[in-house]
Amino acid sequence: LRKFELSAREWTIAHQLTDVLKFFSRGTPNLATVIPAMDLIDQQLASKHKMTAKYDFAIRTAMGLAKRTLNKYYELSDSSEAYRIAMILHPSFKKAYFEQAAWLPEWIETAEGLVRKRFD
């Protein structure tokens, strides 16, 4: 079975990977938490990416690909009103989340307008 044993580098990568991914073990996702989760993942990837010398090349490459993939899906969330409406209506987020996340005022107004429009 020695041929299946992890090398020292593979163990290092495994430890680094757990460090990068440990923040994923959080509650049950729902529509209103998609954008905040993406923001958290983006923030984690950005802060971890700044410490690139700490991580193996394989981990740095995976983080770069993950960030690119995240950005792709984040942009796609703009095409659905449901995410913004769910967040505005969510008791924990409301309009304050967008303001705290430093969204542009016109984006916040658009999110609020979507809720008003659907309500009417």
Side-chain angles (χ1 to χ4, degrees), residues 35-99:
I35 300 297
M38 286 181 161
D39 287 342
L40 176 64
I41 293 167
D42 185 60
Q43 176 187 13
Q44 286 291 321
L45 287 173
S47 66
K48 300 284 186 195
H49 212 277
K50 290 177 186 171
M51 301 182 293
T52 53
K54 175 182 174 183
Y55 295 109
D56 187 88
F57 177 74
I59 300 294
R60 292 192 313 260
T61 302
M63 288 191 312
L65 291 170
K67 188 140 174 55
R68 216 172 308 146
T69 303
L70 177 71
N71 289 341
K72 172 187 168 186
Y73 287 102
Y74 203 121
E75 287 177 22
L76 288 173
S77 72
D78 287 344
S79 63
S80 173
E81 299 175 353
Y83 297 105
R84 289 170 282 177
I85 291 172
M87 288 177 66
I88 292 284
L89 295 177
H90 193 281
S92 297
F93 300 127
K94 301 208 174 278
K95 186 175 155 185
Y97 178 85
F98 298 111
E99 292 165 347

